[in-house]
């Protein structure tokens, strides 16, 4: 006997509309900046009346929250699908390159995820859990090649975030700081000691 599954078409339509709203929000954030985002502009972009948006998102902060989750989930997918190699050097290069390239691809996304560009926005605990998952994935990758001390991890995140910040701020269409990923990894490995220093 074949068991039929019942589709919740209403929920599917709601999810599709939420996705359309978020897509419009990202487009507008890239054009007008994150701070210039308004529910009215989003509604006009998708041909909806502004009050109708509140059925999908209770506020502009709820839109930012959903964008924050979406961005972190994209980064997590990228980290999970990266080609890591088997040595500390290759793993660290892959992690750093993935993060810096991801940051440069989309300035609005980078600002929302990694900078406090919106002083009145703080992700909800539920949304922040997505960022925690990203950090746990990075921490696990680094621990697998011997980077286990909190101070080492802090140093690593500062170095990688610094390259991403410089690249997005000063050469967004180029690769000036992206080219420094490999030497930065070598410098880091030389600093933390022999376990990480094997090639």
């Amino acid at each position: 006997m074949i068991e039929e599954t019942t589709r919740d078409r209403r929920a599917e339509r709601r999810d599709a509309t939420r996705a359309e709203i978020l897509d419009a929000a990202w487009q507008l954030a890239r054009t007008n900046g994150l701070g210039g985002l308004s529910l009215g502009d989003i509604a006009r972009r998708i041909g909806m009346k502004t009050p109708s948006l509140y059925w999908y998102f209770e506020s502009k902060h709820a839109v930012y929250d959903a964008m924050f989750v979406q961005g972190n989930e994209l980064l997590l997918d990228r980290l999970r699908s990266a080609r890591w190699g088997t040595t500390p050097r290759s793993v660290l290069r892959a992690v750093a390159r993935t993060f810096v390239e991801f940051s440069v691809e989309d300035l609005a996304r980078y600002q929302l995820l990694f900078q406090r560009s919106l002083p009145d926005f703080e992700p909800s605990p539920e949304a922040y859990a997505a960022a925690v998952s990203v950090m746990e994935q990075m921490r696990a990758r680094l621990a697998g090649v011997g980077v286990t001390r909190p101070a080492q991890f802090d140093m690593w995140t500062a170095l990688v975030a610094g390259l991403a910040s410089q690249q997005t701020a000063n050469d967004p269409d180029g690769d000036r700081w992206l080219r420094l990923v490999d030497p930065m990894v070598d410098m880091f490995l030389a600093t933390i000691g022999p376990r990480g220093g094997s090639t």
Side-chain angles (χ1 to χ4, degrees):
M1 180 177 177
I2 299 174
E3 188 176 320
E4 293 185 13
T5 57
T6 303
R7 289 174 58 187
D8 187 343
R9 295 179 187 276
R10 186 173 181 178
E12 288 176 7
R13 284 194 300 273
R14 187 170 191 275
D15 289 345
T17 303
R18 280 177 58 90
E20 186 180 6
I21 291 168
L22 289 177
D23 186 53
W26 281 117
Q27 291 174 30
L28 289 165
R30 291 171 189 129
T31 303
N32 304 332
L34 281 170
L37 196 62
S38 77
L39 294 182
D41 287 342
I42 295 172
R44 281 188 289 278
R45 175 64 66 104
I46 65 173
M48 178 185 284
K49 293 187 181 300
T50 305
S52 299
L53 281 180
Y54 289 99
W55 194 70
Y56 302 96
F57 294 98
E58 63 187 27
S59 66
K60 185 166 70 168
H61 277 204
V63 174
Y64 285 135
D65 227 35
M67 293 168 72
F68 186 86
V69 170
Q70 206 173 52
N72 276 291
E73 287 177 346
L74 285 171
L75 178 53
L76 194 56
D77 288 345
R78 190 78 57 87
L79 288 167
R80 287 174 174 156
S81 63
R83 297 175 63 118
W84 297 105
T86 58
T87 67
R89 182 165 277 107
S90 65
V91 169
L92 293 175
R93 285 178 176 178
V95 172
R97 189 168 297 281
T98 298
F99 182 84
V100 177
E101 288 176 346
F102 181 84
S103 298
V104 174
E105 284 173 6
D106 188 332
L107 182 60
R109 185 179 65 196
Y110 168 75
Q111 291 172 335
L112 180 63
L113 269 56
F114 307 117
Q115 296 183 323
R116 291 196 172 264
S117 303
L118 302 167
D120 61 339
F121 169 70
E122 186 172 325
S124 68
E126 295 78 16
Y128 193 68
V132 171
S133 294
V134 168
M135 291 300 285
E136 287 173 348
Q137 173 73 207
M138 287 197 192
R139 199 179 296 274
R141 291 288 177 184
L142 269 64
V145 294
V147 182
T148 56
R149 296 178 188 166
Q152 292 174 340
F153 189 74
D154 288 348
M155 182 191 303
W156 171 259
T157 57
L159 290 168
V160 176
L163 290 183
S165 176
Q166 290 285 66
Q167 188 62 54
T168 56
N170 298 303
D171 192 23
D173 298 319
D175 66 351
R176 180 176 172 186
W177 278 271
L178 187 58
R179 290 197 316 260
L180 298 179
V181 164
D182 290 355
M184 181 275 290
V185 168
D186 292 344
M187 179 181 69
F188 177 75
L189 288 172
T191 301
I192 68 167
R195 166 82 202 275
S198 60
T199 58

